[in-house]
């Protein structure tokens, strides 16, 4: 089979920068290197590029360009909202609603807020990873000031009913933030239609560069946030500091490509994902899917390979890059919090693999990966069964 090894199947962790994005960025390292805050021709050129990128990103999520703020990534965007609003409202209200399937960027920042005396309700998901909108409604108290729920899960790909959760928040006069990091560019994400007040996201998940992120703040809500950093007045003081022009240009270009090629990317990744899943599931009856079959990110697969430890599988299959859970939780060495939240026991949670298919994967790569997965899983399983019999 004619494929270049190793094959990258971890597109929920990060994505390759699209060569068209690299091309767009290059001039901003060298001849167009100005500081966008400078009041001379170099600054004006850089500033025009920033504003162009802001518009490209706004278009991807149906926002106005004045509602987009640049940060270093989704982690920073989420922290700006969680801490920024809490500081502003602490004297008046002290309750946040979130869930047990948030990414650690959200979950850990809420744990810090709990230590500062803010009450946080972490709603439990169901066995597919969904947060029921009725649970959000039933948890609202007089003191609730913020609901923060992930749009699409980074491990199991489950897509929440954000539109309904947003509607409930708006009807009850509660601010609503969503971590849309895995969602933008992959599914239709529309801040107006979904009644979102704040959304966090990152460039490196959509074939853009790392270290640059976005924050959507609905017009009129800028003053509800006390910034984490103080200094200059860039990004209206919400995120001061000299802007990373090449990265922002790349983020803009990556967003534009996602807008223009949405249908193509969606169909491509979903077809390859389904092909891989159907082939593995039909050959190995002990493999099952974590998360939902339909309301799921198009390129995401999360498989429970019962009896086969993911760390062993990963070390045996060196020519394919995939992961055991989220990159962050695999670093902790503990079974994934998300897999436990959907009801898996510790042993099963250690036997799950996450496969993330992206724009640059080919049918040939998926054919190769299918054979490798079936071969290695069968080998480990056979060895285990044999050992247990002797
Ligand atoms: N939220 C989700 C759902 C993610 O998948 C990630 C990245 O893995 C983040 C937040 C953090 O993004 P960043 O690394 O850009 O800060």
């Amino acid at each position: 089979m004619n494929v270049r090894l190793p094959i990258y199947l971890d597109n929920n962790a990060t994505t390759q920068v699209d060569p068209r994005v690299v091309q767009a960025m290059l001039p901003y390292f060298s001849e167009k290197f100005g500081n966008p805050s400078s009041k001379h021709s170099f600054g004006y050129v850089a500033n025009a590029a920033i504003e162009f990128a802001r518009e490209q990103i706004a278009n991807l999520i149906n926002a106005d360009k004045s509602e987009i703020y640049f940060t270093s990534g989704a982690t920073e965007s989420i922290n700006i909202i969680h801490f920024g609003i809490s500081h502003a409202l602490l004297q008046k209200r002290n309750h946040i609603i979130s869930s047990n399937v948030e990414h650690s960027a959200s979950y850990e920042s809420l744990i810090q807020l709990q230590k500062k005396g803010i009450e946080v309700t972490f709603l439990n998901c169901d066995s597919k990873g969904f947060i029921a909108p009725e649970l959000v409604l039933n948890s609202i108290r007089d003191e609730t000031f913020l609901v923060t729920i992930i749009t699409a899960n980074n491990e199991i790909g489950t897509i929440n009913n954000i539109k309904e959760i947003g509607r409930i928040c708006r009807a009850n006069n509660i601010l609503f933030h969503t971590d849309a990091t895995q969602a933008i560019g992959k599914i239709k994400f529309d801040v107006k239609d979904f009644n979102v007040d704040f959304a966090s996201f990152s460039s490196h998940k959509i074939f853009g560069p790392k270290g640059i992120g976005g924050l959507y703040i609905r017009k009129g809500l800028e003053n509800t946030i006390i910034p984490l950093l103080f200094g200059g007045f860039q990004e209206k003081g919400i995120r001061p500091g000299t802007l990373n022009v090449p990265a922002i240009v790349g983020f803009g270009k990556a967003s534009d490509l996602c807008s223009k090629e949405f249908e193509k990317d969606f169909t491509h990744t979903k077809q390859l994902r389904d092909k891989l899943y159907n082939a593995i599931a039909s050959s190995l009856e002990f493999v099952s899917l974590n998360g939902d079959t339909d309301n799921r990110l198009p390129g995401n697969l999360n498989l429970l390979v019962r009896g086969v430890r993911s760390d062993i599988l990963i070390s045996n299959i060196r020519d394919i890059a995939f992961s055991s859970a989220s990159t962050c939780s695999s670093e902790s060495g503990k079974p994934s919090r998300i897999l436990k939240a959907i009801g898996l026991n510790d042993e099963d949670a250690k036997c799950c693999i996450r496969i993330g298919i992206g724009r640059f994967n080919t049918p040939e790569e998926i054919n190769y990966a299918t054979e490798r997965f079936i071969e290695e899983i069968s080998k480990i399983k056979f060895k285990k069964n044999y050992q247990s019999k002797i």
Side-chain angles (χ1 to χ4, degrees):
M1 234 180 274
N2 188 21
V3 286
R4 244 197 33 229
L5 299 175
I7 297 170
Y8 187 73
L9 293 183
D10 201 12
N11 284 276
N12 293 108
T14 195
T15 56
Q16 176 193 333
V17 181
D18 192 301
R20 294 167 290 181
V21 169
V22 176
Q23 280 308 313
M25 292 171 70
L26 285 177
Y28 294 91
F29 288 103
S30 45
E31 71 263 35
K32 300 180 182 177
F33 58 83
N35 183 329
S37 301
S38 298
K39 303 294 171 223
H40 51 59
S41 63
F42 286 81
Y44 297 147
V45 167
N47 188 52
I50 297 287
E51 294 315 313
F52 186 66
R54 208 187 292 282
E55 183 132 31
Q56 291 173 311
I57 295 160
N59 289 342
L60 180 63
I61 61 168
N62 194 25
D64 188 88
K65 78 194 257 289
S66 65
E67 297 171 313
I68 303 295
Y69 296 77
F70 291 111
T71 66
S72 63
T75 302
E76 187 183 352
S77 301
I78 293 166
N79 276 266
I80 290 177
I81 294 304
H82 287 176
F83 284 91
I85 296 179
S86 303
H87 289 156
L89 293 179
L90 193 52
Q91 304 309 319
K92 298 181 192 141
R93 299 197 261 170
N94 78 335
H95 179 232
I96 296 178
I97 298 171
S98 188
S99 84
N100 64 347
V101 282
E102 299 302 305
H103 183 273
S104 53
S106 196
Y107 185 77
E108 295 299 334
S109 67
L110 293 170
I111 297 289
Q112 291 305 313
L113 284 173
Q114 270 186 327
K115 290 183 186 160
K116 291 181 190 297
I118 292 191
E119 283 194 50
V120 184
T121 301
F122 290 103
L123 300 175
N124 289 330
C125 65
D126 66 14
S127 63
K128 300 281 174 79
F130 292 112
I131 300 300
E134 307 82 72
L135 282 185
V136 175
L137 181 63
N138 296 339
S139 308
I140 293 174
R141 308 180 194 160
D142 288 347
E143 314 84 68
T144 310
F145 63 89
L146 179 70
V147 170
T148 176
I149 306 266
I150 193 165
T151 304
N153 189 271
N154 48 298
E155 289 187 34
I156 55 174
T158 302
I159 303 167
N160 272 313
N161 188 349
I162 286 302
K163 181 171 175 166
E164 181 56 14
I165 296 172
R167 192 195 61 74
I168 290 169
C169 294
R170 194 66 57 84
N172 287 277
N173 222 352
I174 291 166
L175 295 170
F176 177 43
H177 166 256
T178 185
D179 173 0
T181 312
Q182 294 284 344
I184 68 156
K186 313 282 169 51
I187 58 166
K188 292 273 181 213
F189 182 83
D190 181 323
V191 288
K192 292 198 180 74
D193 189 37
F194 290 2
N195 296 305
V196 167
D197 292 315
F198 311 106
S200 298
F201 40 89
S202 212
S203 149
H204 73 103
K205 307 286 185 185
I206 61 163
F207 310 97
K210 294 172 183 54
I212 186 73
L215 173 59
Y216 162 78
I217 302 179
R218 185 161 67 84
K219 208 174 277 174
L221 292 177
E222 312 79 68
N223 297 333
T224 56
I225 295 163
I226 295 182
L228 301 185
L229 304 176
F230 294 88
F233 293 94
Q234 294 91 345
E235 300 306 273
K236 298 178 207 154
I238 285 179
R239 207 285 187 168
T242 302
L243 292 168
N244 182 348
V245 184
I248 289 171
V249 168
F251 188 10
K253 180 70 183 177
S255 302
D256 190 45
L257 291 171
C258 283
S259 298
K260 290 184 174 142
E261 299 180 359
F262 179 83
E263 303 296 341
K264 191 172 140 212
D265 283 344
F266 187 94
T267 312
H268 174 73
T269 50
K270 186 173 179 310
Q271 272 174 357
L272 294 185
R273 193 265 319 264
D274 291 346
K275 190 175 173 203
L276 180 60
Y277 175 63
N278 292 335
I280 294 177
S282 62
S283 302
L284 308 168
E285 78 289 350
F286 53 90
V287 172
S288 57
L289 185 69
N290 293 318
D292 194 48
T293 33
D294 302 322
N295 280 319
R296 166 179 215 110
L297 288 170
N300 170 278
L301 262 190
N302 193 304
L303 302 176
L304 165 56
V305 189
R306 199 161 268 125
V308 176
R309 291 278 298 261
S310 54
D311 51 351
I312 296 176
L313 199 57
I314 289 169
S315 69
N316 284 14
I317 305 182
R318 294 290 171 106
D319 49 2
I320 303 175
F322 61 103
S323 61
S324 53
S326 76
T327 317
C328 310
S329 69
S330 38
E331 269 174 21
S332 76
K334 292 190 196 138
S336 146
R337 178 169 50 77
I338 309 299
L339 296 174
K340 295 203 70 181
I342 60 171
L344 268 60
N345 61 33
D346 279 6
E347 190 45 39
D348 281 350
K350 287 179 190 159
C351 297
C352 292
I353 55 169
R354 180 183 72 171
I355 297 168
I357 294 165
R359 180 183 290 164
F360 298 110
N361 290 122
T362 64
E364 291 73 29
E365 289 179 333
I366 297 304
N367 290 342
Y368 180 90
T370 305
E371 280 185 20
R372 286 290 285 129
F373 280 122
I374 295 175
E375 176 189 65
E376 280 305 326
I377 292 170
S378 308
K379 234 192 262 172
I380 298 170
K381 192 81 174 174
F382 176 76
K383 201 166 151 199
K384 242 184 122 181
N385 286 348
Y386 177 74
Q387 278 167 345
S388 68
K389 283 190 189 129
I390 53 173

